[in-house]
Amino acid sequence: MACVLAVRAVMPPASDIVKVAIEWPGANAQLIEIDQKKPLASIVREVCDGWSLSGSEQFALRYAEGPQLYITEQNRGDIKNGSILRLAISPMRAARQLLERIQSHGIDARLEALKELAKLSADPSFATEFINMEGLATLARLVESGTQYESYIPLFGEMLAFTLTAFLELMDHGIISWDLISVSFIKQIAAYVNQPMVDVSILQRSLAILESMVLNSHSLYQRVAQETTVTQLITHLQVSNQEIQTYAIALINALFLKTPEDRRQEMASTLAQKHLRGIILNHIIRVNRPVKAEMAHQLYVLQVLTFNLLEERMMTKMDPNDQTQRDIIFELRRIAFDGDSDPSGTEKRKAIYIKDYKMLGFTNPVNPAIDFTQTPPGMLALDNMLYLAKVHQDTYIRIVLENCSREDKHECPFGRSAIELTRMLCDILQVGELPNEGCNDFHPMFFTHERAWEEFFCVCIQLLNKTWKEMRATAEDFNKVMTVVREQITRALAMKPPSLEQLRVKLRSLSYSEVLRLRQSERMSQDDFQSPPIIDLRERIQPEILELIKQQRLSRLCEGSCFRKLGNRRRQEKFWFCRLSLNHKVLHYGDLDESPQGEVPFELLTDTIPVSDIKAVLTGKDCPHMKEKSALKQNKEVLELAFSILYDPDEALNFVATNKYEYCIWTDGVSALLGKELGSDLTRSDLDTLMSMEMKLRLLDLENIAIPEAPPPVPKEPSTYNFTYNYG
């Protein structure tokens, strides 16, 4: 018998056998082997028999740690060796019991039931059973009848908060349509948002529910727009709680996004009348606290939606036969040249107009309207020019007359420049494009002026004129000048100036000579010298640098990283942590309740994968979890940050990195563990940087000395070897 046991001990476990521990309150845990080929019901029956429990159909298995989700036939493949499970009542039984407790008359019992419901609602299996029992309708009735109990039921606010949390979690599974929500429920939720004084937790959940309604149903958008006052939403932006501010601006963005195109200008005007921009500036941007990532994203979304109002003018061609539009061009000429009194005679007047339009820099001086028929920028360019001429008249006249006084070959064509600059700014700020999920690239300066777009154009057209002079450009250099101006603007925007005045300061420092210096510096830092000795030196150094990068990647994996779990809502994320053992032989990972502030000990990471079992690392669309979730296929940001580790027998550990840097670190690190080439963008960047630094250090004494194509000749041997060095 001992021999048989010894043989079994050394035999590798079958690929479909998982060793786990199963807990039951008041009893010792069972250590069992789960055969993944057996029906789950049979495994539950065996576990119940181990504790002499009857009615195994009333029980199910759940994870004992992390989100504690139920184990089903669909997700049982996720069970890992060493997992701790718990025997629990089945989802159907749990749903029935909770529904009965919620409808009981005992306040304490109802409160405890709602607390448990808010937690269990995140589980898809439980959510399905609870919804099938008309549980959502019960929660909706509790909300709809809430006001009549509010004054005399103790703990009402806490009960309502858990009710709304559970409702939102259940709806996020997409089991039923938002269109089934009743009008009275919408009115009640809107009432909580419109009340001047309401509990923070209730307000937060109410704002989130209304946002989901607007984003998921056109009919509900119309109802929410009727029931929710913009004035009250803006009031919520003036509180000190940034979470409430974030939810409020998210709802404003949702309403803005779903507003029909023909009414978006009206919506924007309403927000302007309510001083939304100034409130955001004074209560969010300029307060003495950092803007969190989700708030930054919402400000970016509002910035994009605001600029997208320009799309209609950007894509509108000028009608050369429209006299009203032609009068705008005439007004530009009048302001520039003060032509109040027209000369007598049609032909003479026409000749003067052609001359003036040529001095204004139009490509078609005979009929300048032709210049505005290309989209983009269409009529938006003419709007910008008219704003400059009327609001900054002195600047406009100076630019025009200054160029008129130059030599013909050096004059900067104002009309053509303004049109091309408008097209460039539309491209830089992505006018007309939808916001990118996860992008936080908002610019505080655009919240400092009611006409931020036009003022931005006015600053940039002055920059263009200045750069033209610094480059001593001619008409043939037009495209070259525009390239330099684009670089100046993008470099200045990257510095995130807090105001338009600070933008001017940044642009003044980015003169043409400074741009050349920056280009030269960047080029030198990436320079690939072509002489044979340098090439040979690079080839000798590169393996050392790659090994250094590899060791850095493995060191970062040993420190570990936190990853987010994919969910339906951004603001209620779940986290898990993964790190490599110090001997580089095992990956440790496990779920976390919240994002960690520092290093997570190995003891808290209960799941492991031996590095020897890892077969490959897959990225983007090749990841198993990207193939399964069709909704994520359209999310470019998630695809760019997703990767999976495949390991024996045929399992995968799926990751979604928090940013591009962590994505590169982990894909490089796993590749290093597998002995494969490090191919990320970060590796290429680090290699270029470290190679350049090492090359400069080794060639430091050769600064400004020409490096020969061939090595120098070997000197003759000395006449005698009788010499020493005295270091004394």
Side-chain angles (χ1 to χ4, degrees):
M1 182 65 178
C3 294
V4 174
L5 290 176
V7 171
R8 291 186 62 186
V10 298
M11 289 178 62
S15 61
D16 51 3
I17 299 297
V18 183
K19 297 180 179 180
V20 300
I22 301 181
E23 299 175 341
W24 175 253
N28 293 327
Q30 296 186 39
L31 302 178
I32 69 170
E33 293 183 350
I34 293 180
D35 185 350
Q36 293 287 33
K37 292 183 178 180
K38 292 178 61 175
L40 194 57
S42 299
I43 297 172
V44 173
R45 188 182 307 113
E46 293 175 4
V47 173
C48 290
D49 292 342
W51 283 309
S52 301
L53 298 174
S54 59
S56 62
E57 67 277 359
Q58 297 293 318
F59 293 92
L61 294 176
R62 292 172 59 185
Y63 288 100
E65 300 170 336
Q68 301 183 12
L69 299 177
Y70 278 101
I71 295 170
T72 65
E73 292 290 355
Q74 289 71 36
N75 66 18
R76 63 185 294 180
D78 296 334
I79 303 175
K80 310 297 185 218
N81 278 318
S83 296
I84 301 177
L85 309 181
R86 177 178 298 155
L87 185 66
I89 59 175
S90 67
M92 179 182 293
R93 187 178 172 189
R96 184 180 298 109
Q97 289 183 1
L98 280 177
L99 197 54
E100 292 172 356
R101 290 164 58 193
I102 289 170
Q103 295 172 323
S104 69
H105 297 291
I107 299 303
D108 292 336
R110 291 172 66 180
L111 178 59
E112 289 303 315
L114 288 168
K115 283 183 180 179
E116 190 173 348
L117 176 64
K119 184 177 180 180
L120 274 176
S121 295
D123 187 284
S125 303
F126 172 85
T128 301
E129 298 294 344
F130 190 80
I131 291 173
N132 289 340
M133 295 177 185
E134 302 296 328
L136 268 175
T138 301
L139 296 182
R141 284 194 296 271
L142 288 175
V143 174
E144 292 167 14
S145 59
T147 52
Q148 59 183 302
Y149 304 115
E150 185 172 357
S151 59
Y152 64 88
I153 293 183
L155 306 176
F156 172 79
E158 193 174 0
M159 289 172 56
L160 180 59
F162 285 119
T163 302
L164 296 178
T165 301
F167 183 89
L168 192 54
E169 288 281 3
L170 292 167
M171 290 301 298
D172 273 347
H173 292 291
I175 298 171
I176 67 171
S177 170
W178 281 92
D179 288 318
L180 300 177
I181 303 302
S182 68
V183 174
S184 57
F185 180 85
I186 299 172
K187 287 185 175 182
Q188 187 61 55
I189 297 297
Y192 293 132
V193 172
N194 292 332
Q195 287 178 12
M197 297 294 293
V198 68
D199 184 78
V200 170
S201 57
I202 296 174
L203 176 59
Q204 178 177 316
R205 290 157 177 80
S206 297
L207 288 167
I209 289 173
L210 292 180
E211 181 194 1
S212 293
M213 288 180 180
V214 171
L215 294 176
N216 288 285
S217 170
H218 177 70
S219 61
L220 291 188
Y221 150 73
Q222 294 176 320
R223 175 61 64 178
V224 172
Q226 292 172 4
E227 299 293 338
T228 308
T229 64
V230 173
T231 301
Q232 191 59 41
L233 289 179
I234 292 178
T235 301
H236 294 316
L237 296 179
Q238 301 177 55
V239 301
S240 58
N241 188 322
Q242 191 170 127
E243 293 296 319
I244 295 298
Q245 291 176 321
T246 302
Y247 279 92
I249 199 170
L251 179 53
I252 291 173
N253 284 337
L255 291 168
F256 203 163
L257 183 65
K258 293 298 181 178
T259 300
E261 291 187 11
D262 57 344
R263 294 184 54 202
R264 285 185 186 170
Q265 291 288 352
E266 178 185 341
M267 173 76 170
S269 299
T270 302
L271 295 176
Q273 292 169 8
K274 301 298 181 180
H275 308 293
L276 173 64
R277 178 198 58 79
I279 290 170
I280 290 174
L281 185 67
N282 296 321
H283 291 272
I284 298 176
I285 297 176
R286 288 183 174 172
V287 294
N288 189 25
R289 65 181 178 189
V291 176
K292 296 181 180 178
E294 178 57 27
M295 174 59 82
H297 172 70
Q298 295 300 338
L299 293 176
Y300 155 78
V301 172
L302 181 60
Q303 172 185 294
V304 171
L305 295 176
T306 303
F307 283 145
N308 282 356
L309 296 173
L310 304 169
E311 183 181 12
E312 181 180 358
R313 294 294 284 176
M314 181 183 75
M315 301 307 295
T316 300
K317 296 181 179 181
M318 185 172 186
D319 182 1
N321 298 318
D322 189 324
Q323 187 58 45
T324 303
Q325 296 178 359
R326 293 169 63 89
D327 287 343
I328 299 176
I329 299 177
F330 181 80
E331 182 71 3
L332 292 174
R333 173 198 166 276
R334 185 195 66 76
I335 295 173
F337 303 113
D338 197 24
D340 292 325
S341 56
D342 292 335
S344 58
T346 304
E347 292 299 323
K348 186 175 182 181
R349 186 186 306 119
K350 184 177 180 180
I352 292 177
Y353 284 4
I354 292 174
K355 178 183 177 183
D356 289 348
Y357 290 145
K358 185 176 181 181
M359 294 172 67
L360 278 172
F362 288 111
T363 305
N364 299 279
V366 176
N367 187 2
I370 302 296
D371 287 20
F372 301 96
T373 56
Q374 186 176 0
T375 57
M379 290 294 291
L380 185 59
L382 187 59
D383 295 342
N384 286 341
M385 295 165 71
L386 184 63
Y387 181 88
L388 174 67
K390 287 193 169 184
V391 178
H392 301 280
Q393 191 171 116
D394 292 343
T395 300
Y396 168 69
I397 294 174
R398 177 179 56 79
I399 291 175
V400 173
L401 297 183
E402 189 176 271
N403 284 289
C404 292
S405 62
R406 293 180 188 160
E407 300 177 40
D408 287 346
K409 66 176 183 176
H410 287 294
E411 61 183 27
C412 177
F414 169 74
R416 182 185 176 191
S417 298
I419 292 170
E420 291 302 318
L421 178 63
T422 302
R423 190 199 319 276
M424 178 196 299
L425 298 183
C426 289
D427 183 53
I428 291 174
L429 297 177
Q430 299 179 327
V431 175
E433 297 186 18
L434 289 176
N436 291 324
E437 185 69 28
C439 182
N440 303 334
D441 190 25
F442 86 97
H443 296 280
M445 69 177 184
F446 290 129
F447 292 89
T448 63
H449 201 284
E450 292 293 348
R451 304 293 295 272
W453 165 263
E454 291 85 350
E455 289 293 323
F456 183 47
F457 168 83
C458 294
V459 171
C460 293
I461 194 69
Q462 295 177 69
L463 168 72
L464 193 155
N465 191 59
K466 172 175 171 287
T467 302
W468 185 281
K469 289 188 292 184
E470 292 173 347
M471 294 178 65
R472 298 184 58 80
T474 63
E476 290 76 16
D477 301 320
F478 185 86
N479 291 333
K480 181 180 178 182
V481 174
M482 296 304 295
T483 300
V484 174
V485 170
R486 185 186 187 98
E487 185 174 345
Q488 291 171 312
I489 294 171
T490 52
R491 285 182 183 273
L493 287 177
M495 302 178 195
K496 295 294 179 71
S499 66
L500 289 162
E501 185 55 41
Q502 283 296 312
L503 175 67
R504 290 187 178 91
V505 173
K506 301 292 185 187
L507 290 174
R508 277 198 293 269
S509 66
L510 286 169
S511 62
Y512 176 55
S513 59
E514 176 65 11
V515 170
L516 290 181
R517 188 193 68 78
L518 291 172
R519 285 180 176 178
Q520 179 69 13
S521 175
E522 292 167 0
R523 189 161 49 244
M524 288 298 294
S525 66
Q526 302 172 359
D527 201 1
D528 186 11
F529 301 110
Q530 296 302 312
S531 63
I534 298 299
I535 293 175
D536 180 66
L537 180 59
R538 287 182 65 90
E539 291 175 351
R540 291 171 182 265
I541 294 174
Q542 184 163 317
E544 302 174 17
I545 301 297
L546 286 173
E547 181 61 24
L548 182 65
I549 294 173
K550 174 183 173 182
Q551 294 304 320
Q552 187 272 341
R553 300 294 192 263
L554 294 175
S555 176
R556 277 288 291 108
L557 263 61
C558 290
E559 295 175 8
S561 298
C562 181
F563 299 92
R564 57 191 173 98
K565 288 193 172 183
L566 297 177
N568 289 329
R569 293 198 314 284
R570 277 186 314 278
R571 294 185 294 278
Q572 295 190 4
E573 292 184 318
K574 302 291 189 294
F575 302 92
W576 65 287
F577 198 89
C578 185
R579 62 182 297 194
L580 179 66
S581 63
L582 299 181
N583 61 5
H584 300 173
K585 292 186 177 181
V586 181
L587 278 177
H588 297 258
Y589 65 98
D591 293 325
L592 301 175
D593 292 331
E594 58 184 10
S595 180
Q597 299 302 314
E599 188 174 276
V600 177
F602 287 106
E603 302 81 58
L604 298 180
L605 305 176
T606 56
D607 297 312
T608 60
I609 299 175
V611 171
S612 58
D613 288 349
I614 298 177
K615 297 189 293 187
V617 56
L618 302 179
T619 60
K621 294 181 179 179
D622 295 329
C623 299
H625 56 320
M626 292 296 102
K627 296 177 180 178
E628 294 171 2
K629 298 179 181 294
S630 59
L632 296 178
K633 291 183 180 178
Q634 309 302 323
N635 194 324
K636 181 179 178 182
E637 286 70 35
V638 172
L639 282 175
E640 290 178 346
L641 300 177
F643 63 97
S644 299
I645 292 177
L646 301 186
Y647 61 98
D648 289 330
D650 287 309
E651 300 188 55
L653 183 62
N654 301 318
F655 298 72
V656 176
T658 54
N659 51 53
K660 191 68 175 178
Y661 176 81
E662 289 292 332
Y663 170 88
C664 294
I665 288 289
W666 276 82
T667 53
D668 281 345
V670 177
S671 297
L673 290 173
L674 299 178
K676 296 183 179 180
E677 182 179 350
L678 281 60
S680 74
D681 294 338
L682 182 62
T683 292
R684 287 190 288 272
S685 174
D686 288 350
L687 180 61
D688 289 343
T689 301
L690 294 174
M691 285 289 292
S692 175
M693 292 173 60
E694 185 67 17
M695 292 289 290
K696 288 180 178 180
L697 286 173
R698 297 200 183 194
L699 300 173
L700 193 60
D701 294 336
L702 302 180
E703 192 72 32
N704 297 322
I705 297 177
I707 300 174
E709 292 292 329
V714 178
K716 294 180 179 181
E717 293 185 5
S719 57
T720 176
Y721 288 93
N722 297 326
F723 55 83
T724 62
Y725 291 102
N726 185 354
Y727 293 101

